[in-house]
Amino acid sequence: MLLAQLLDRAGTGVWAAACVLYFTFVIGLDAGQVGLLLGASGVAGIAGSPLAGHLADRFPVRSLLIGAHLLRLGTLCLMLVVTDFALLLLVVAVTHLGDRGAKTLEMLFATRVAGDRRATYQALSRSSANAGYALGAGLAAIGLAVGTRGAYQVLILADALSFLVVAALVWRTKEPRGRGLVVPPAGPAEATGPAGPAEATGPAAAARGPWRDRGYLRFVLLDIPMHLDDSILGIGIPLWLVGRTEAPHELIPAFLVVNTVLVVLLQLQVSARVETARQAAGAVALYGVATFACCALLAGAGAGGVWGASAALLAAAVLATAAELVRSVSSWELAVRLAPKEARASYLGVAGMAQSVQKSAGPLLLTGVVMAAGPAGWLALGTAVAGLSLVQRRSSLRRLDRLERLERTPPVPAASG
């Protein structure tokens, strides 16, 4: 699975680096059309996670994951021949739908295979994913340097080929028996426990589904700002450097290098310290602290001159990466542990929406609100994320308490005739 993920992310890295230029110089779209294309794909991606989770409750996860990879293979091949904007809009949207669905199914499948070693797998997963993105970006750089229509088409075919190979690797990976996401109900006592009717956590919650479980939806809603490190690192810091500081533009690639190296070196060590659900809940508060410190450095970077701004921006990139290291293990662990065992797949599909929503709304929040407000905008963002992280921590611990009480409650004997 880790090799499959590395190849998947390498292909995705190729496409991410080349897609905007391909749409602009090969297809001939203007900036507005490219923006609409990418925006529509982001909206489609939001639906990918819950759809994948819903299907995973009814069909084998491995088969669905293979299908998602083959769907992306087909749509990418269509991009080689589709030039009409309306059709291209549909193809790109379906591609991103399959992409987000595949990532959710990938984590569901890994949850089954890894079992209680989820944190370790997540660490290895993050390391292999970052290595894959770096490899893909390097391959894309070669094609972009050539710059011909044929070179762009080769990059698309390389991405499509990666999905074909990944589908074959998943097909060769066996799903363990008896360790699925759906387990039999523990007993009728869980349906009416201390959680109360508004936030049932046993079979009652599973029967109602994630969309009617207010406690879990609260977790997913609060998890959206816990993914803002992605937009801060990829969009906020580079644009702030260009628009509000005296730091050299050549510093921008260093942010990606810092992020990749630190994730590869430290992810396993961070994961070793977050092995239980309660530790994951505590780590959410650390996410808020790291994000606030990152935003504070960005707020003051503009007043530091060339060297001061450069140092502040690099330190902010380190702190954004620290937040990512914590979030990558705490978010999924809580998503798994806070979901009823009887319907984890559908619940985790809804949890996957947090990242998709952030990818769509995060850039708009940073460019349209935070950076428009100047340094005060960064301070407000950091304060808000830190405060929400404490709310998320408290809410998660309360739900964990309810789950533990339900597990300790003995099942009610069935009534005799």
Side-chain angles (χ1 to χ4, degrees), residues 161-230:
L161 178 62
S162 73
F163 296 145
L164 181 62
V165 175
V166 169
L169 290 173
V170 173
W171 178 73
R172 294 182 58 186
T173 304
K174 301 293 185 182
E175 270 189 276
R177 294 182 180 274
R179 290 172 60 185
L181 293 170
V182 181
V183 298
E190 288 188 0
T192 56
E199 203 172 323
T201 50
R208 291 163 54 187
W211 296 107
R212 298 180 63 187
D213 187 338
R214 288 190 289 176
Y216 199 80
L217 290 178
R218 184 188 307 119
F219 161 76
V220 175
L221 182 63
L222 290 170
D223 203 39
I224 295 173
M226 302 302 121
H227 284 77
L228 277 171
D229 59 275
D230 180 61

Short mmCIF file of all heavy atoms in Angstrom, two decimals, residues 161-230:
data_model
loop_
_atom_site.label_atom_id
_atom_site.label_comp_id
_atom_site.label_asym_id
_atom_site.label_seq_id
_atom_site.Cartn_x
_atom_site.Cartn_y
_atom_site.Cartn_z
N LEU A 161 -0.68 6.54 -16.22
CA LEU A 161 0.01 5.26 -16.04
C LEU A 161 0.20 4.95 -14.56
O LEU A 161 0.09 3.79 -14.13
CB LEU A 161 1.36 5.29 -16.75
CG LEU A 161 2.24 4.03 -16.61
CD1 LEU A 161 1.53 2.83 -17.21
CD2 LEU A 161 3.60 4.26 -17.27
N SER A 162 0.46 5.98 -13.75
CA SER A 162 0.64 5.75 -12.31
C SER A 162 -0.64 5.18 -11.69
O SER A 162 -0.58 4.30 -10.83
CB SER A 162 1.04 7.05 -11.61
OG SER A 162 -0.06 7.95 -11.50
N PHE A 163 -1.80 5.64 -12.14
CA PHE A 163 -3.06 5.13 -11.61
C PHE A 163 -3.28 3.67 -12.01
O PHE A 163 -3.83 2.88 -11.24
CB PHE A 163 -4.24 5.98 -12.09
CG PHE A 163 -4.19 7.39 -11.59
CD1 PHE A 163 -4.63 8.44 -12.38
CD2 PHE A 163 -3.70 7.68 -10.32
CE1 PHE A 163 -4.58 9.75 -11.92
CE2 PHE A 163 -3.66 8.98 -9.86
CZ PHE A 163 -4.09 10.01 -10.65
N LEU A 164 -2.86 3.31 -13.22
CA LEU A 164 -2.98 1.92 -13.67
C LEU A 164 -2.11 1.00 -12.82
O LEU A 164 -2.55 -0.07 -12.38
CB LEU A 164 -2.60 1.82 -15.14
CG LEU A 164 -2.69 0.42 -15.77
CD1 LEU A 164 -4.13 -0.08 -15.73
CD2 LEU A 164 -2.18 0.46 -17.22
N VAL A 165 -0.88 1.42 -12.58
CA VAL A 165 0.04 0.61 -11.76
C VAL A 165 -0.48 0.51 -10.33
O VAL A 165 -0.44 -0.56 -9.71
CB VAL A 165 1.45 1.21 -11.79
CG1 VAL A 165 2.39 0.45 -10.84
CG2 VAL A 165 2.02 1.18 -13.21
N VAL A 166 -0.98 1.61 -9.79
CA VAL A 166 -1.50 1.61 -8.41
C VAL A 166 -2.70 0.69 -8.30
O VAL A 166 -2.84 -0.06 -7.32
CB VAL A 166 -1.87 3.05 -7.99
CG1 VAL A 166 -2.65 3.04 -6.69
CG2 VAL A 166 -0.61 3.89 -7.83
N ALA A 167 -3.59 0.69 -9.29
CA ALA A 167 -4.73 -0.21 -9.27
C ALA A 167 -4.27 -1.67 -9.24
O ALA A 167 -4.85 -2.50 -8.52
CB ALA A 167 -5.62 0.05 -10.49
N ALA A 168 -3.22 -1.98 -9.99
CA ALA A 168 -2.69 -3.35 -9.99
C ALA A 168 -2.10 -3.71 -8.62
O ALA A 168 -2.28 -4.84 -8.13
CB ALA A 168 -1.63 -3.49 -11.08
N LEU A 169 -1.42 -2.75 -7.98
CA LEU A 169 -0.85 -3.02 -6.67
C LEU A 169 -1.94 -3.23 -5.62
O LEU A 169 -1.82 -4.09 -4.75
CB LEU A 169 0.07 -1.86 -6.25
CG LEU A 169 1.38 -1.73 -7.03
CD1 LEU A 169 2.11 -0.44 -6.64
CD2 LEU A 169 2.28 -2.93 -6.79
N VAL A 170 -3.00 -2.44 -5.69
CA VAL A 170 -4.10 -2.61 -4.75
C VAL A 170 -4.76 -3.97 -4.97
O VAL A 170 -5.14 -4.66 -4.02
CB VAL A 170 -5.13 -1.47 -4.90
CG1 VAL A 170 -6.37 -1.73 -4.04
CG2 VAL A 170 -4.50 -0.13 -4.52
N TRP A 171 -4.91 -4.37 -6.22
CA TRP A 171 -5.51 -5.66 -6.54
C TRP A 171 -4.72 -6.81 -5.93
O TRP A 171 -5.28 -7.82 -5.50
CB TRP A 171 -5.60 -5.82 -8.05
CG TRP A 171 -6.18 -7.14 -8.48
CD1 TRP A 171 -7.48 -7.53 -8.42
CD2 TRP A 171 -5.46 -8.23 -9.05
NE1 TRP A 171 -7.63 -8.81 -8.92
CE2 TRP A 171 -6.41 -9.26 -9.31
CE3 TRP A 171 -4.12 -8.45 -9.38
CZ2 TRP A 171 -6.04 -10.48 -9.88
CZ3 TRP A 171 -3.76 -9.66 -9.95
CH2 TRP A 171 -4.71 -10.66 -10.18
N ARG A 172 -3.40 -6.65 -5.82
CA ARG A 172 -2.55 -7.71 -5.25
C ARG A 172 -2.53 -7.68 -3.73
O ARG A 172 -2.00 -8.60 -3.11
CB ARG A 172 -1.12 -7.55 -5.77
CG ARG A 172 -0.96 -7.79 -7.27
CD ARG A 172 0.48 -7.67 -7.69
NE ARG A 172 1.32 -8.63 -6.97
CZ ARG A 172 2.65 -8.67 -7.06
NH1 ARG A 172 3.28 -7.79 -7.83
NH2 ARG A 172 3.34 -9.56 -6.37
N THR A 173 -3.08 -6.63 -3.11
CA THR A 173 -3.08 -6.53 -1.65
C THR A 173 -4.34 -7.18 -1.10
O THR A 173 -5.45 -6.85 -1.51
CB THR A 173 -3.04 -5.05 -1.21
OG1 THR A 173 -1.90 -4.42 -1.80
CG2 THR A 173 -2.94 -4.95 0.30
N LYS A 174 -4.17 -8.09 -0.16
CA LYS A 174 -5.30 -8.82 0.40
C LYS A 174 -5.97 -8.02 1.52
O LYS A 174 -5.30 -7.40 2.34
CB LYS A 174 -4.84 -10.17 0.97
CG LYS A 174 -4.18 -11.08 -0.07
CD LYS A 174 -5.19 -11.54 -1.11
CE LYS A 174 -4.56 -12.54 -2.08
NZ LYS A 174 -5.50 -12.96 -3.13
N GLU A 175 -7.30 -8.05 1.51
CA GLU A 175 -8.05 -7.48 2.62
C GLU A 175 -8.15 -8.50 3.74
O GLU A 175 -8.55 -9.64 3.51
CB GLU A 175 -9.47 -7.09 2.18
CG GLU A 175 -9.59 -5.69 1.65
CD GLU A 175 -11.04 -5.30 1.44
OE1 GLU A 175 -11.59 -5.61 0.39
OE2 GLU A 175 -11.62 -4.67 2.34
N PRO A 176 -7.78 -8.13 4.98
CA PRO A 176 -7.85 -9.09 6.07
C PRO A 176 -9.29 -9.44 6.42
O PRO A 176 -10.17 -8.60 6.35
CB PRO A 176 -7.16 -8.35 7.23
CG PRO A 176 -7.37 -6.91 6.92
CD PRO A 176 -7.33 -6.80 5.42
N ARG A 177 -9.49 -10.68 6.80
CA ARG A 177 -10.82 -11.10 7.23
C ARG A 177 -10.99 -10.83 8.72
O ARG A 177 -10.05 -10.95 9.48
CB ARG A 177 -11.02 -12.59 6.95
CG ARG A 177 -11.03 -12.94 5.47
CD ARG A 177 -11.27 -14.42 5.28
NE ARG A 177 -11.29 -14.76 3.87
CZ ARG A 177 -12.37 -14.69 3.09
NH1 ARG A 177 -13.51 -14.27 3.62
NH2 ARG A 177 -12.31 -15.02 1.83
N GLY A 178 -12.22 -10.49 9.11
CA GLY A 178 -12.52 -10.32 10.53
C GLY A 178 -12.03 -9.04 11.13
O GLY A 178 -12.08 -8.85 12.32
N ARG A 179 -11.51 -8.12 10.28
CA ARG A 179 -11.03 -6.85 10.82
C ARG A 179 -11.60 -5.70 10.03
O ARG A 179 -10.97 -4.68 9.81
CB ARG A 179 -9.50 -6.80 10.77
CG ARG A 179 -8.84 -7.73 11.73
CD ARG A 179 -7.35 -7.77 11.48
NE ARG A 179 -6.76 -6.45 11.66
CZ ARG A 179 -5.47 -6.21 11.41
NH1 ARG A 179 -4.68 -7.15 10.98
NH2 ARG A 179 -4.98 -5.01 11.60
N GLY A 180 -12.81 -5.86 9.57
CA GLY A 180 -13.43 -4.85 8.75
C GLY A 180 -13.87 -3.65 9.55
O GLY A 180 -13.79 -3.61 10.77
N LEU A 181 -14.39 -2.69 8.83
CA LEU A 181 -14.85 -1.47 9.48
C LEU A 181 -16.20 -1.66 10.13
O LEU A 181 -16.59 -0.92 11.00
CB LEU A 181 -14.94 -0.35 8.43
CG LEU A 181 -13.60 0.11 7.87
CD1 LEU A 181 -13.82 1.03 6.70
CD2 LEU A 181 -12.79 0.79 8.94
N VAL A 182 -16.95 -2.66 9.70
CA VAL A 182 -18.29 -2.89 10.26
C VAL A 182 -18.24 -4.10 11.17
O VAL A 182 -17.82 -5.16 10.77
CB VAL A 182 -19.31 -3.13 9.13
CG1 VAL A 182 -20.69 -3.33 9.70
CG2 VAL A 182 -19.32 -1.95 8.16
N VAL A 183 -18.66 -3.94 12.41
CA VAL A 183 -18.67 -5.03 13.36
C VAL A 183 -20.07 -5.16 13.93
O VAL A 183 -20.86 -4.24 13.90
CB VAL A 183 -17.67 -4.78 14.52
CG1 VAL A 183 -16.27 -4.69 13.99
CG2 VAL A 183 -18.02 -3.51 15.27
N PRO A 184 -20.43 -6.34 14.46
CA PRO A 184 -21.77 -6.51 15.00
C PRO A 184 -22.02 -5.60 16.18
O PRO A 184 -21.10 -5.24 16.91
CB PRO A 184 -21.78 -7.99 15.42
CG PRO A 184 -20.65 -8.63 14.67
CD PRO A 184 -19.63 -7.58 14.49
N PRO A 185 -23.26 -5.18 16.40
CA PRO A 185 -23.58 -4.35 17.56
C PRO A 185 -23.24 -5.05 18.85
O PRO A 185 -23.33 -6.27 18.97
CB PRO A 185 -25.10 -4.14 17.43
CG PRO A 185 -25.40 -4.37 15.98
CD PRO A 185 -24.42 -5.41 15.53
N ALA A 186 -22.81 -4.27 19.85
CA ALA A 186 -22.40 -4.84 21.13
C ALA A 186 -23.61 -5.17 22.00
O ALA A 186 -23.51 -5.97 22.89
CB ALA A 186 -21.48 -3.88 21.85
N GLY A 187 -24.73 -4.55 21.77
CA GLY A 187 -25.89 -4.85 22.61
C GLY A 187 -26.84 -3.69 22.65
O GLY A 187 -26.48 -2.56 22.35
N PRO A 188 -28.06 -3.91 23.02
CA PRO A 188 -29.06 -2.85 23.03
C PRO A 188 -28.77 -1.75 24.01
O PRO A 188 -29.30 -0.66 23.90
CB PRO A 188 -30.36 -3.58 23.37
CG PRO A 188 -29.93 -4.84 24.06
CD PRO A 188 -28.63 -5.21 23.44
N ALA A 189 -27.91 -2.00 25.01
CA ALA A 189 -27.64 -0.96 26.00
C ALA A 189 -26.99 0.25 25.35
O ALA A 189 -27.14 1.37 25.81
CB ALA A 189 -26.73 -1.50 27.11
N GLU A 190 -26.24 0.04 24.24
CA GLU A 190 -25.56 1.17 23.62
C GLU A 190 -26.52 2.14 22.97
O GLU A 190 -26.20 3.29 22.76
CB GLU A 190 -24.57 0.65 22.56
CG GLU A 190 -23.36 -0.02 23.16
CD GLU A 190 -22.31 -0.35 22.11
OE1 GLU A 190 -22.56 -0.04 20.94
OE2 GLU A 190 -21.27 -0.89 22.46
N ALA A 191 -27.71 1.66 22.62
CA ALA A 191 -28.64 2.53 21.92
C ALA A 191 -29.23 3.60 22.82
O ALA A 191 -29.64 4.64 22.35
CB ALA A 191 -29.77 1.69 21.31
N THR A 192 -29.25 3.36 24.11
CA THR A 192 -29.82 4.34 25.04
C THR A 192 -28.88 4.48 26.22
O THR A 192 -29.14 4.01 27.31
CB THR A 192 -31.19 3.87 25.54
OG1 THR A 192 -31.05 2.57 26.12
CG2 THR A 192 -32.18 3.81 24.39
N GLY A 193 -27.74 5.09 25.97
CA GLY A 193 -26.74 5.26 27.02
C GLY A 193 -26.65 6.69 27.45
O GLY A 193 -27.50 7.52 27.13
N PRO A 194 -25.58 7.04 28.16
CA PRO A 194 -25.42 8.38 28.69
C PRO A 194 -25.31 9.45 27.62
O PRO A 194 -25.38 10.62 27.92
CB PRO A 194 -24.13 8.27 29.51
CG PRO A 194 -23.94 6.81 29.77
CD PRO A 194 -24.55 6.11 28.64
N ALA A 195 -25.07 9.04 26.36
CA ALA A 195 -24.89 10.06 25.33
C ALA A 195 -26.17 10.83 25.09
O ALA A 195 -26.13 11.96 24.65
CB ALA A 195 -24.44 9.40 24.02
N GLY A 196 -27.32 10.23 25.35
CA GLY A 196 -28.57 10.96 25.16
C GLY A 196 -29.03 10.88 23.72
O GLY A 196 -28.31 10.52 22.81
N PRO A 197 -30.27 11.28 23.45
CA PRO A 197 -30.84 11.14 22.12
C PRO A 197 -30.21 12.06 21.10
O PRO A 197 -30.23 11.77 19.94
CB PRO A 197 -32.32 11.50 22.34
CG PRO A 197 -32.32 12.36 23.56
CD PRO A 197 -31.23 11.83 24.43
N ALA A 198 -29.66 13.20 21.52
CA ALA A 198 -29.12 14.15 20.54
C ALA A 198 -27.76 13.73 20.03
O ALA A 198 -27.32 14.22 19.00
CB ALA A 198 -29.02 15.54 21.16
N GLU A 199 -27.07 12.83 20.72
CA GLU A 199 -25.71 12.50 20.33
C GLU A 199 -25.42 11.04 20.64
O GLU A 199 -24.49 10.71 21.36
CB GLU A 199 -24.73 13.42 21.06
CG GLU A 199 -23.39 13.55 20.36
CD GLU A 199 -22.54 14.62 21.00
OE1 GLU A 199 -23.07 15.65 21.44
OE2 GLU A 199 -21.33 14.40 21.07
N ALA A 200 -26.25 10.14 20.14
CA ALA A 200 -26.03 8.71 20.35
C ALA A 200 -24.73 8.30 19.69
O ALA A 200 -24.34 8.84 18.67
CB ALA A 200 -27.19 7.93 19.75
N THR A 201 -24.04 7.30 20.31
CA THR A 201 -22.73 6.92 19.80
C THR A 201 -22.61 5.44 19.51
O THR A 201 -21.56 5.01 19.06
CB THR A 201 -21.65 7.31 20.83
OG1 THR A 201 -22.03 6.81 22.11
CG2 THR A 201 -21.47 8.80 20.89
N GLY A 202 -23.60 4.61 19.74
CA GLY A 202 -23.52 3.19 19.46
C GLY A 202 -24.32 2.84 18.22
O GLY A 202 -24.35 3.58 17.25
N PRO A 203 -24.99 1.69 18.22
CA PRO A 203 -25.81 1.32 17.08
C PRO A 203 -26.87 2.35 16.73
O PRO A 203 -27.27 2.46 15.58
CB PRO A 203 -26.44 0.00 17.53
CG PRO A 203 -25.47 -0.55 18.52
CD PRO A 203 -24.93 0.63 19.24
N ALA A 204 -27.36 3.10 17.73
CA ALA A 204 -28.36 4.13 17.43
C ALA A 204 -27.79 5.17 16.48
O ALA A 204 -28.43 5.58 15.52
CB ALA A 204 -28.81 4.80 18.73
N ALA A 205 -26.54 5.60 16.73
CA ALA A 205 -25.90 6.56 15.84
C ALA A 205 -25.65 5.95 14.48
O ALA A 205 -25.82 6.61 13.44
CB ALA A 205 -24.58 7.04 16.46
N ALA A 206 -25.23 4.68 14.47
CA ALA A 206 -24.97 4.02 13.19
C ALA A 206 -26.24 3.92 12.35
O ALA A 206 -26.23 4.10 11.14
CB ALA A 206 -24.37 2.63 13.42
N ALA A 207 -27.36 3.63 13.02
CA ALA A 207 -28.62 3.51 12.31
C ALA A 207 -29.07 4.85 11.74
O ALA A 207 -29.62 4.92 10.64
CB ALA A 207 -29.68 2.94 13.24
N ARG A 208 -28.83 5.92 12.48
CA ARG A 208 -29.22 7.25 12.02
C ARG A 208 -28.30 7.76 10.93
O ARG A 208 -28.69 8.56 10.09
CB ARG A 208 -29.23 8.22 13.21
CG ARG A 208 -30.33 7.94 14.21
CD ARG A 208 -30.06 8.63 15.53
NE ARG A 208 -29.82 10.06 15.36
CZ ARG A 208 -29.42 10.86 16.34
NH1 ARG A 208 -29.19 10.37 17.53
NH2 ARG A 208 -29.24 12.13 16.12
N GLY A 209 -27.04 7.33 10.95
CA GLY A 209 -26.07 7.77 9.96
C GLY A 209 -25.34 9.02 10.40
O GLY A 209 -25.78 9.75 11.29
N PRO A 210 -24.21 9.32 9.76
CA PRO A 210 -23.38 10.46 10.17
C PRO A 210 -24.06 11.81 9.99
O PRO A 210 -23.77 12.76 10.73
CB PRO A 210 -22.14 10.34 9.29
CG PRO A 210 -22.59 9.55 8.11
CD PRO A 210 -23.61 8.59 8.63
N TRP A 211 -24.97 11.91 9.01
CA TRP A 211 -25.59 13.21 8.74
C TRP A 211 -26.59 13.61 9.81
O TRP A 211 -27.01 14.78 9.86
CB TRP A 211 -26.27 13.19 7.37
CG TRP A 211 -25.30 13.00 6.25
CD1 TRP A 211 -25.13 11.88 5.50
CD2 TRP A 211 -24.34 13.95 5.78
NE1 TRP A 211 -24.12 12.07 4.58
CE2 TRP A 211 -23.63 13.35 4.73
CE3 TRP A 211 -24.02 15.26 6.15
CZ2 TRP A 211 -22.61 14.00 4.04
CZ3 TRP A 211 -23.01 15.92 5.46
CH2 TRP A 211 -22.32 15.29 4.42
N ARG A 212 -26.98 12.69 10.68
CA ARG A 212 -27.91 13.02 11.77
C ARG A 212 -27.24 12.89 13.13
O ARG A 212 -27.90 13.01 14.16
CB ARG A 212 -29.13 12.10 11.69
CG ARG A 212 -29.92 12.27 10.39
CD ARG A 212 -31.12 11.34 10.35
NE ARG A 212 -32.08 11.64 11.41
CZ ARG A 212 -33.14 10.90 11.67
NH1 ARG A 212 -33.37 9.80 10.97
NH2 ARG A 212 -33.96 11.24 12.64
N ASP A 213 -25.95 12.66 13.14
CA ASP A 213 -25.17 12.56 14.38
C ASP A 213 -24.52 13.92 14.63
O ASP A 213 -23.45 14.23 14.11
CB ASP A 213 -24.12 11.46 14.24
CG ASP A 213 -23.39 11.17 15.55
OD1 ASP A 213 -23.38 12.06 16.44
OD2 ASP A 213 -22.82 10.08 15.69
N ARG A 214 -25.17 14.74 15.43
CA ARG A 214 -24.70 16.12 15.63
C ARG A 214 -23.32 16.19 16.26
O ARG A 214 -22.53 17.08 15.96
CB ARG A 214 -25.71 16.90 16.47
CG ARG A 214 -26.99 17.22 15.71
CD ARG A 214 -27.86 18.19 16.48
NE ARG A 214 -28.45 17.56 17.66
CZ ARG A 214 -29.19 18.22 18.54
NH1 ARG A 214 -29.41 19.52 18.38
NH2 ARG A 214 -29.72 17.58 19.58
N GLY A 215 -23.02 15.24 17.15
CA GLY A 215 -21.71 15.24 17.78
C GLY A 215 -20.60 15.00 16.77
O GLY A 215 -19.56 15.68 16.80
N TYR A 216 -20.80 14.07 15.85
CA TYR A 216 -19.76 13.79 14.86
C TYR A 216 -19.68 14.91 13.83
O TYR A 216 -18.58 15.28 13.39
CB TYR A 216 -20.05 12.45 14.16
CG TYR A 216 -18.83 11.89 13.48
CD1 TYR A 216 -17.86 11.21 14.21
CD2 TYR A 216 -18.63 12.06 12.12
CE1 TYR A 216 -16.73 10.68 13.60
CE2 TYR A 216 -17.50 11.55 11.49
CZ TYR A 216 -16.56 10.86 12.24
OH TYR A 216 -15.43 10.36 11.63
N LEU A 217 -20.82 15.47 13.45
CA LEU A 217 -20.79 16.60 12.51
C LEU A 217 -20.08 17.79 13.12
O LEU A 217 -19.39 18.55 12.42
CB LEU A 217 -22.22 16.98 12.11
CG LEU A 217 -22.95 15.99 11.21
CD1 LEU A 217 -24.37 16.48 10.94
CD2 LEU A 217 -22.21 15.79 9.89
N ARG A 218 -20.22 17.97 14.45
CA ARG A 218 -19.49 19.05 15.12
C ARG A 218 -17.98 18.81 15.00
O ARG A 218 -17.21 19.73 14.74
CB ARG A 218 -19.89 19.12 16.59
CG ARG A 218 -19.24 20.29 17.34
CD ARG A 218 -19.50 20.23 18.83
NE ARG A 218 -20.92 20.11 19.12
CZ ARG A 218 -21.47 19.09 19.75
NH1 ARG A 218 -20.72 18.08 20.18
NH2 ARG A 218 -22.77 19.06 19.97
N PHE A 219 -17.56 17.55 15.19
CA PHE A 219 -16.14 17.23 15.03
C PHE A 219 -15.66 17.55 13.62
O PHE A 219 -14.60 18.16 13.43
CB PHE A 219 -15.90 15.75 15.34
CG PHE A 219 -14.63 15.22 14.77
CD1 PHE A 219 -13.40 15.53 15.37
CD2 PHE A 219 -14.62 14.42 13.63
CE1 PHE A 219 -12.21 15.06 14.84
CE2 PHE A 219 -13.44 13.96 13.10
CZ PHE A 219 -12.23 14.28 13.70
N VAL A 220 -16.43 17.16 12.59
CA VAL A 220 -16.02 17.39 11.20
C VAL A 220 -15.96 18.89 10.91
O VAL A 220 -15.01 19.38 10.27
CB VAL A 220 -16.99 16.69 10.23
CG1 VAL A 220 -16.63 17.02 8.78
CG2 VAL A 220 -16.95 15.18 10.44
N LEU A 221 -16.95 19.64 11.39
CA LEU A 221 -16.96 21.09 11.17
C LEU A 221 -15.74 21.75 11.81
O LEU A 221 -15.09 22.61 11.19
CB LEU A 221 -18.26 21.68 11.74
CG LEU A 221 -18.46 23.19 11.56
CD1 LEU A 221 -18.55 23.52 10.08
CD2 LEU A 221 -19.71 23.66 12.29
N LEU A 222 -15.43 21.37 13.03
CA LEU A 222 -14.25 21.94 13.71
C LEU A 222 -12.95 21.45 13.10
O LEU A 222 -11.90 22.09 13.28
CB LEU A 222 -14.30 21.60 15.21
CG LEU A 222 -15.37 22.30 16.02
CD1 LEU A 222 -15.47 21.69 17.42
CD2 LEU A 222 -15.09 23.80 16.12
N ASP A 223 -12.99 20.33 12.39
CA ASP A 223 -11.77 19.80 11.78
C ASP A 223 -11.38 20.57 10.52
O ASP A 223 -10.23 20.49 10.09
CB ASP A 223 -11.97 18.32 11.44
CG ASP A 223 -10.66 17.56 11.32
OD1 ASP A 223 -9.75 17.83 12.13
OD2 ASP A 223 -10.54 16.71 10.43
N ILE A 224 -12.30 21.33 9.94
CA ILE A 224 -11.98 22.10 8.73
C ILE A 224 -10.86 23.11 8.99
O ILE A 224 -9.86 23.12 8.27
CB ILE A 224 -13.24 22.78 8.17
CG1 ILE A 224 -14.25 21.72 7.71
CG2 ILE A 224 -12.87 23.71 7.01
CD1 ILE A 224 -15.59 22.30 7.30
N PRO A 225 -10.97 23.98 10.01
CA PRO A 225 -9.86 24.91 10.26
C PRO A 225 -8.59 24.22 10.75
O PRO A 225 -7.51 24.81 10.70
CB PRO A 225 -10.41 25.87 11.32
CG PRO A 225 -11.53 25.13 11.96
CD PRO A 225 -12.12 24.29 10.89
N MET A 226 -8.70 22.94 11.18
CA MET A 226 -7.52 22.20 11.60
C MET A 226 -6.72 21.67 10.41
O MET A 226 -5.74 20.94 10.58
CB MET A 226 -7.90 21.03 12.51
CG MET A 226 -8.67 21.40 13.76
SD MET A 226 -7.82 22.56 14.84
CE MET A 226 -9.01 23.91 14.86
N HIS A 227 -7.13 22.04 9.19
CA HIS A 227 -6.39 21.69 7.97
C HIS A 227 -5.83 22.93 7.27
O HIS A 227 -5.28 22.82 6.17
CB HIS A 227 -7.28 20.92 7.00
CG HIS A 227 -7.54 19.50 7.38
ND1 HIS A 227 -8.43 19.14 8.37
CD2 HIS A 227 -7.02 18.34 6.91
CE1 HIS A 227 -8.45 17.82 8.49
NE2 HIS A 227 -7.60 17.32 7.62
N LEU A 228 -5.96 24.09 7.90
CA LEU A 228 -5.53 25.33 7.23
C LEU A 228 -4.03 25.42 7.02
O LEU A 228 -3.57 26.25 6.22
CB LEU A 228 -6.01 26.55 8.03
CG LEU A 228 -7.45 26.99 7.77
CD1 LEU A 228 -7.87 28.05 8.78
CD2 LEU A 228 -7.59 27.53 6.35
N ASP A 229 -3.25 24.59 7.71
CA ASP A 229 -1.79 24.61 7.48
C ASP A 229 -1.47 24.38 6.02
O ASP A 229 -0.48 24.92 5.49
CB ASP A 229 -1.12 23.54 8.34
CG ASP A 229 -1.65 22.15 8.03
OD1 ASP A 229 -2.68 21.75 8.58
OD2 ASP A 229 -1.01 21.44 7.23
N ASP A 230 -2.28 23.58 5.32
CA ASP A 230 -2.04 23.28 3.91
C ASP A 230 -2.09 24.56 3.07
O ASP A 230 -1.19 24.82 2.26
CB ASP A 230 -3.08 22.27 3.43
CG ASP A 230 -2.91 21.90 1.98
OD1 ASP A 230 -1.83 21.38 1.64
OD2 ASP A 230 -3.83 22.13 1.18
#
